[in-house]
Amino acid sequence: MRIERARGTRDFLPAEMLKRRIMEAKMRDIAEKWGYEEIRTPTFELAELFTLKSGEEILKNMYEFKDKGGRHLALRPELTAPVIRMYVNELKMAPKPVKVYYFGNCFRYEEPQRARYREFWQFGAEIIGSDSPEAQAEIIALAFYCLKSLGIKAELYVGHVGLIREVLQAANMEEAEINKVMNLIDKGEREAVVEFMGGIGTERELIDDLISLVDLKGKDALNEARALKIIASNNDALKELEMLLKIIDYYDIVYTLNLGIARGLDYYTGMVFEIYKADGKLGAQNQVCGGGSYRLAALFGGADTPSTGFAFGIDRLAEIFPLETDDLKRKEVVVVPIKEKNRNPDVIKEAIKIASELREFFPTHMDVMSRSLSAQLSYANAINASFAVFVGKKEVKEGKVTLRNLDTGVQEKMSVEECVERIRNQV
Ligand code: HAM
């Protein structure tokens, strides 16, 4: 019986894994250079970690289940809530700000389509202990530099949910109603916003102003927002955003201000940002990164702690990662123990010794199928190996090996040390 993969999941073959490892190494290198440290949290958590504050969109897409002990668990749909839970449980005494990064798989029960999966990978970073404009700018800059290290060009949009939330709070809306409106704004459903707010009795003028606010984009958006009646002249979010944009400029980063960014998760309180690859290469699912400021620690039993972070969708990045083929070429060596009629333990012993030495430096294969010399050579050709090292009875006696360059066909007998040296010089 042929068993298919579960819907929305994928298998990653060696070439894809190699590409992902290369990408991961580049992003890890940047995060480390910015002073962030890697952490890892469990793949599943108590479901309430996410139900407390993650937002409607994620909750309806969560893989949740009862374990044999009757606990209500969920496969993580994202990593920010787990990271803050970990911080509250394990790291709250650490010097602030705590700066961490992570790679991990996430699970969302969504309708699978191009670049949207039920199991996908995120790479993210969080600054825990600050959501100052400096922290917010650093997080945006870190995301920008990670993308740059991959050679990917994409558009960065920065906004501030504090602005929208302040307006909705001033209109005396309840938290759940506010989240509902934020969710509709995130989905770009302006008419549904008007209908919903009208339905709960919000004044028409305020609704119109809100729609004008979330439609503001570009250089003049701040001034235009200031001119709106619903924005108080001493609006804190606006002041914070102004300072943030100034600091982002110091990082020399190109961005577009977009006051309509609402994000699909309910926990954001301040700056929010999203990065899109909008040149058609990713189709409809073209958001490669999302992030912002939030306060989750108090909700999970810790002190109120401002935090800022982001997460990239690695699967989407992998689709557009411009691959340097040089990065992928690994020179491989095949050690060929030459058997006569039967296996010769002395030859195998020597071949293993040589393979172990070579493995200090290069990916090295050795026959495990007791194949003939010609069968071992055709395997070496089939896997595109660069060198073959022959070990036969004669070689063992002389303490030598025969090295063949599989690209040129040239071969020569030499000592093991020289063989290692020769390959090293040619790799
Ligand atoms: P998010 O926007 O829900 O934010 O997800 C981050 C990124 O994960 C998205 O921009 C997208 O590239 C990728 N992604 C999301 N869903 C899928 C999917 N079904 N298939 C493939 N890729 C997907 C968060 O998760 C927040 N925790 C980000 C954050 C960190 N905010 C603060 N700190």
Side-chain angles (χ1 to χ4, degrees):
M1 188 175 73
R2 189 184 143 108
I3 300 184
E4 301 295 338
R5 280 191 317 264
R7 192 163 145 76
T9 64
R10 285 148 304 148
D11 295 314
F12 299 115
L13 299 180
E16 176 69 16
M17 282 314 294
L18 195 52
K19 175 164 110 175
R20 285 176 175 240
R21 288 288 171 247
I22 292 168
M23 294 174 58
E24 214 174 289
K26 288 179 191 281
M27 294 191 281
R28 182 174 272 121
D29 182 49
I30 299 289
E32 295 277 342
K33 284 192 173 129
W34 284 58
Y36 290 66
E37 291 179 300
E38 184 166 8
I39 49 145
R40 179 168 286 177
T41 62
T43 308
F44 55 87
E45 298 270 359
L46 295 178
E48 66 183 338
L49 178 68
F50 305 106
T51 53
L52 278 174
K53 190 105 191 167
S54 283
E56 208 180 295
E57 202 58 22
I58 278 205
L59 298 187
K60 73 173 192 253
N61 293 337
M62 221 159 62
Y63 275 88
E64 45 178 329
F65 55 96
K66 285 255 166 68
D67 75 0
K68 291 185 171 60
R71 299 169 196 90
H72 186 194
L73 302 176
L75 297 183
R76 58 185 177 200
E78 59 109 37
L79 283 139
T80 305
V83 168
I84 298 303
R85 177 200 53 69
M86 174 199 245
Y87 161 77
V88 171
N89 295 351
E90 317 283 345
L91 285 171
K92 61 175 183 289
M93 303 308 280
K96 308 281 178 309
V98 170
K99 301 194 296 178
V100 293
Y101 74 92
Y102 49 81
F103 290 89
N105 50 348
C106 300
F107 305 85
R108 296 184 191 176
Y109 194 79
E110 302 189 282
E111 222 16 71
Q113 52 174 273
R114 178 147 176 241
R116 181 195 260 178
Y117 309 101
R118 290 186 172 172
E119 182 188 25
F120 61 97
W121 272 259
Q122 285 190 347
F123 157 64
E126 316 284 341
I127 296 184
I128 306 166
S130 180
D131 63 355
S132 67
E134 285 85 348
Q136 297 177 343
E138 174 169 311
I139 270 296
I140 294 173
L142 176 59
F144 180 87
Y145 278 93
C146 286
L147 213 49
K148 197 169 161 194
S149 76
L150 297 177
I152 293 175
K153 287 207 173 76
E155 294 92 66
L156 165 65
Y157 294 92
V158 180
H160 199 298
V161 289
L163 266 182
I164 312 173
R165 283 189 182 275
E166 271 185 39
V167 168
L168 299 177
Q169 274 153 7
N172 287 325
M173 281 171 63
E174 312 250 326
E175 173 88 8
E177 292 167 341
I178 295 178
N179 289 339
K180 170 90 185 161
V181 172
M182 298 297 287
N183 208 259
L184 293 172
I185 297 174
D186 176 56
K187 289 203 212 120
E189 296 177 10
R190 302 281 192 266
E191 275 163 34
V193 172
V194 176
E195 202 175 305
F196 176 76
M197 290 180 75
I200 56 168
T202 315
E203 273 173 45
R204 183 71 214 196
E205 200 187 353
L206 192 143
I207 303 175
D208 288 344
D209 263 11
L210 177 75
I211 297 293
S212 310
L213 174 69
V214 298
D215 278 341
L216 293 180
K217 251 192 192 175
K219 271 204 184 77
D220 296 327
L222 270 191
N223 286 333
E224 287 165 5
R226 226 175 258 121
L228 291 173
K229 216 166 120 201
I230 46 165
I231 302 287
S233 58
N234 60 348
N235 185 295
D236 285 339
L238 209 59
K239 278 193 269 180
E240 183 182 89
L241 187 56
E242 205 164 15
M243 180 52 72
L244 166 67
L245 298 183
K246 207 175 263 177
I247 301 176
I248 300 181
D249 282 339
Y250 299 152
Y251 279 102
D252 227 1
I253 289 171
V254 182
Y255 64 90
T256 305
L257 189 58
N258 179 355
L259 299 184
I261 300 178
R263 307 281 297 129
L265 295 151
D266 284 351
Y267 50 64
Y268 293 104
T269 49
M271 174 281 287
V272 281
F273 74 102
E274 291 175 344
I275 304 180
Y276 288 88
K277 183 74 180 162
D279 55 6
K281 293 210 171 95
L282 273 176
Q285 302 301 316
N286 60 1
Q287 192 196 113
V288 293
C289 180
S293 295
Y294 58 91
R295 287 166 181 264
L296 279 174
L299 204 62
F300 304 153
D304 185 28
T305 312
S307 312
T308 311
F310 67 75
F312 277 103
I314 296 183
D315 308 271
R316 295 182 185 172
L317 293 179
E319 275 207 36
I320 50 175
F321 178 52
L323 202 57
E324 300 283 340
T325 45
D326 279 355
D327 286 346
L328 293 184
K329 258 192 229 139
R330 300 192 305 172
K331 297 248 179 191
E332 296 191 324
V333 185
V334 176
V335 173
V336 181
I338 304 169
K339 77 176 216 192
E340 284 156 13
K341 240 194 191 143
N342 295 309
R343 287 185 178 90
N344 181 333
D346 290 340
V347 168
I348 294 177
K349 184 177 170 196
E350 189 63 15
I352 288 177
K353 204 173 116 208
I354 293 164
S356 303
E357 281 184 43
L358 289 164
R359 283 178 178 141
E360 302 261 328
F361 308 104
F362 334 99
T364 303
H365 302 265
M366 205 188 98
D367 178 54
V368 288
M369 294 174 74
S370 194
R371 278 169 162 163
S372 69
L373 171 68
S374 66
Q376 290 189 54
L377 267 180
S378 22
Y379 175 71
N381 280 325
I383 63 166
N384 266 329
S386 302
F387 302 96
V389 178
F390 300 103
V391 188
K393 226 159 88 189
K394 226 162 102 205
E395 277 90 351
V396 173
K397 213 184 258 162
E398 292 171 17
K400 296 203 161 164
V401 293
T402 301
L403 170 65
R404 181 187 291 183
N405 181 322
L406 294 172
D407 297 326
T408 61
V410 175
Q411 69 174 53
E412 206 181 313
K413 211 183 255 180
M414 61 190 75
S415 70
V416 175
E417 296 72 44
E418 195 178 346
C419 169
V420 172
E421 220 27 60
R422 284 269 191 106
I423 299 179
R424 285 187 77 179
N425 289 337
Q426 288 179 60
V427 170

